[in-house]
């Protein structure tokens, strides 16, 4: 009985399902019929509107006896042979300059035309395949729409600003691209809203998404190129924001910044550019920013010429002499080179000595005289120092070696004296601040830690273990703002501290790796970038063991990314650290190889997403190891007790496929 009831119940369910499907199909057919009927009405209205417009223009033409009533808005009164009486028409006063019904019909015609275009576009998109339709809708603006919109620059500007304000980074990139087109085709629109556009671009230059930040820098380059001297009034805040990106460890950011500044120097007023470069980076804490500032200040000075620089103008002569003296006494050799190069350019003028006495402090003046004597003895400044010398250089100036005014008060020297007076107490207070219950205090503690590393690098290195006891807690904080600030600070400090971080990287790296699994895209991307930066700046021998441990034990969402990082590390350790390869790398690889059991090599190579993502990462690691070790990898696997015969067979197939490629 129960089985018959169950069967009847299933039958009723099938009947109900069939009825619903038929109803759904009927509704779809009704919608299609209404759509076609609406299109037909639009076409009829379109035809009527065109005839009304033609009649409107025919009223302005002189009528002749040969004109026909088909093309005329008035009946042909000159022909008496008509069988039908003329239709009475409303007489229109010739003094009226506009005819409202015809204007409305024109507007209605445009409305119907746009509606038809939208309907046709939608129908065309609906006919696309699933993949093509997804790609089309993911694009914020189609090329046809951009072309149409640029005929209405005000509307394009509004939509571009709305897109840039959107949280989606792809929409931001689309909006920035629209702004670039506006800059090239309608620079007046951008000039009218210059300050607003500059403020928006400054925010996007700081964006943690590298694609957005690079397009924002490119947009600034276009503004300098097309707006030229109209950018003078915004140079101070613009150059400051651009210079900040030169502190990034990624080389492509520095290249973009240099291209942008070069275009700026070539198009804006040189005096304004000089003031903006001095204010934006000459006294910055980061050596990379100071180096970029020194380079382009020197380029501007070359363009201005020695006569202009030594003309006695306060905003040029005083600023150049003081900032060049500051550069000539800086720590990194490349910054010193640019400072000396500026003075070498001015040495041939007799008035240089008197101007130096007037604008420089006596201590700085005597120091610069020694530098100039050395330049004369060598016959020049020489070639630009290498990048290796730049990395090893430190800011070692005391307060009597740098001058921005007559009194030579140095903010950094006072900070240095305070740190040396009570270093232990300062570190204890800093750690306590990072562990505060108030997240604002924790943010301030992170910022103070960054300043300490930039200004007092040796002090920070000596107390790095104690500081990271509190800093690691900030990296794992529940507050996303604190985590983002901590990761950003870590990203900036790795190039400064470099191998000194080897004492704390074992405790910090697992926390940073765990952030890759964060749902916050900014946190996830920044955590991945930190590991890449660590691989570039920290000794590979210190990173191999913690990354191998993470490859075996990390979260399943994180593990594929960590295995890819390990593959990046392989070329750095295989030749230099063969012992560590046998102790850490190969055992980790044997364990990862066991995860491929039951997977075909073809499936491993072409897999993607989910658990297959790990298979792809392991294949990348296999390719890196086989490229470095060759057949030694197979020999090690065959002699290892950790590799089963099945895993050995999988490895041989993978190596065979790699050789075939």
């Amino acid at each position: 009985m129960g089985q018959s009831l169950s069967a009847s119940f299933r039958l009723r369910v099938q009947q109900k399902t069939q009825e619903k499907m038929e109803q759904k199909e009927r509704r779809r057919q009704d919608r299609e019929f209404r759509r076609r009927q609406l299109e037909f009405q639009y076409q009829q209205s379109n035809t009527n509107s065109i005839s009304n417009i033609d009649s409107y223009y025919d009223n302005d033409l002189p009528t002749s006896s040969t004109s026909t009533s088909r093309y005329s808005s008035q009946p042909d009164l000159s022909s008496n042979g008509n069988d039908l009486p003329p239709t009475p028409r409303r007489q229109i006063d010739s003094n009226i300059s506009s005819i409202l019904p015809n204007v409305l019909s024109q507007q209605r015609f445009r409305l119907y035309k746009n509606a038809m275009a939208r309907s046709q576009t939608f129908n065309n998109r609906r006919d696309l395949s699933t993949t093509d339709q997804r790609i089309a809708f993911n694009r914020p603006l189609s090329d046809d729409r951009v072309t149409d919109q640029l005929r209405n620059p005000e509307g394009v500007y509004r939509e571009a600003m709305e897109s840039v304000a959107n949280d989606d980074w792809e929409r931001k990139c689309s909006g920035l691209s629209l702004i670039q087109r506006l800059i090239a085709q309608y620079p007046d629109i951008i000039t009218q809203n210059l300050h607003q556009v500059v403020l928006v671009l400054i925010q996007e230059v700081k964006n943690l998404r590298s694609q957005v930040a690079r397009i924002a820098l490119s947009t600034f380059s276009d503004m300098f190129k097309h707006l030229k001297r109209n950018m003078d009034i915004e140079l101070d805040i613009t150059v400051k924001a651009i210079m900040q990106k030169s502190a990034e460890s990624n080389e492509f950011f520095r290249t973009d910044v240099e291209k942008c500044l070069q275009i700026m120097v070539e198009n804006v007023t040189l005096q304004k550019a000089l003031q903006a470069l001095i204010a934006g980076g000459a006294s910055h804490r980061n050596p990379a920013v100071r180096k970029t500032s020194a380079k382009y200040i020197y380029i501007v000075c070359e363009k201005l010429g020695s006569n202009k620089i030594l003309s006695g103008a306060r905003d040029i002569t005083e600023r150049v002499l003081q900032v060049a003296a500051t550069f000539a006494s800086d720590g990194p050799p490349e910054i010193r080179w640019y400072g000396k190069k500026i003075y070498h350019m001015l040495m041939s003028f007799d008035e240089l000595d008197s101007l130096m006495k007037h604008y420089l402090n006596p201590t700085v003046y005597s120091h610069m005289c020694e530098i100039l004597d050395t330049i004369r003895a060598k016959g020049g400044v020489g070639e630009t120092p290498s990048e290796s010398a730049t990395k090893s250089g430190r800011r070692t100036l005391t307060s009597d070696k740098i001058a921005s005014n007559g009194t030579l008060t140095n903010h950094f020297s006072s900070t240095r004296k305070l740190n040396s007076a009570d270093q232990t107490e300062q570190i204890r207070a800093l750690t306590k601040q990072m562990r505060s219950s108030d997240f604002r205090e924790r943010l301030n503690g992170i910022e103070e830690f960054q300043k300490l590393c930039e200004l007092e690098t040796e002090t920070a290195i000596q107390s790095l273990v104690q500081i990271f006891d509190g800093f690691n807690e900030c990296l794992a904080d529940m507050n996303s703002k604190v985590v983002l600030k901590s990761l950003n600070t870590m990203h900036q400090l790795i190039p400064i501290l470099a191998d000194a971080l080897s004492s704390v990287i074992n405790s910090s790296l697992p926390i940073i790796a765990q952030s890759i699994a964060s749902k916050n895209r900014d946190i996830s991307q920044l955590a991945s970038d930190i590991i890449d930066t660590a691989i570039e700046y920290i000794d590979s021998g210190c990173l191999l063991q913690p990354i191998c441990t993470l490859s075996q034990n990390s979260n399943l969402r994180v593990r594929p990314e960590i295995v890819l990082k390990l593959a990046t590390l392989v070329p750095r350790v295989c030749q230099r650290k063969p012992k560590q390869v046998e102790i850490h790398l190969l055992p980790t690889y044997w364990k990862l190889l066991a995860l491929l059991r039951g997977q075909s090599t073809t499936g491993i190579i072409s897999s993607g997403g989910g658990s297959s993502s790990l298979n792809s990462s392991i294949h990348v690691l296999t390719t890196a190891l086989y490229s470095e070790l060759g057949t030694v990898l197979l020999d090690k696997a065959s002699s290892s007790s950790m590799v089963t015969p099945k895993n050995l067979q999988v490895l041989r197939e993978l190596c065979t496929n790699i050789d075939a490629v």
Side-chain angles (χ1 to χ4, degrees), residues 118-131:
R118 288 195 298 271
S119 176
Q120 184 177 3
T121 303
F122 177 79
N123 293 333
N124 292 339
R125 284 183 175 179
R126 191 172 59 181
D127 294 335
L128 293 174
S129 62
T130 304
T131 304

Side-chain angles (χ1 to χ4, degrees), residues 18 45 98 107 279 303 435 460 583:
Q18 184 67 25
S45 301
S98 64
Q107 294 176 353
K303 290 180 175 293
R435 290 171 171 169
I583 296 175

Side-chain angles (χ1 to χ4, degrees), residues 7-110:
S8 63
F9 176 77
R10 288 198 298 270
L11 181 60
R12 289 198 301 271
V13 169
Q14 292 176 358
Q15 291 175 352
K16 289 289 185 182
T17 303
Q18 184 67 25
E19 290 175 1
K20 288 183 178 180
M21 292 177 62
E22 291 175 355
Q23 291 176 1
K24 187 175 180 180
E25 179 64 21
R26 284 196 298 269
R27 286 197 298 268
R28 189 192 66 79
Q29 292 177 358
D30 291 340
R31 286 196 301 269
E32 183 69 18
F33 174 78
R34 287 196 297 270
R35 184 185 63 79
R36 292 181 179 178
Q37 189 176 16
L38 184 60
E39 289 180 1
F40 178 77
Q41 293 176 359
Y42 283 156
Q43 291 175 359
Q44 292 297 111
S45 301
N46 187 2
T47 305
N48 295 336
S49 300
I50 292 176
S51 63
N52 291 337
I53 292 173
D54 291 338
S55 65
Y56 168 70
Y57 287 108
D58 288 340
N59 287 334
D60 296 336
L61 297 176
T63 58
S64 63
S65 59
T66 59
S67 63
T68 63
S69 59
R70 179 182 178 182
Y71 299 101
S72 176
S73 61
Q74 299 283 346
D76 190 0
L77 302 178
S78 61
S79 60
N80 297 326
N82 294 331
D83 296 332
L84 296 175
T87 304
R89 298 272 183 160
R90 178 174 62 90
Q91 296 298 323
I92 299 175
D93 189 358
S94 60
N95 295 325
I96 299 177
S97 59
S98 64
I99 303 174
L100 294 179
N102 284 345
V103 173
L104 292 175
S105 66
Q106 292 179 24
Q107 294 176 353
R108 191 179 302 112
F109 166 64
R110 294 194 188 96

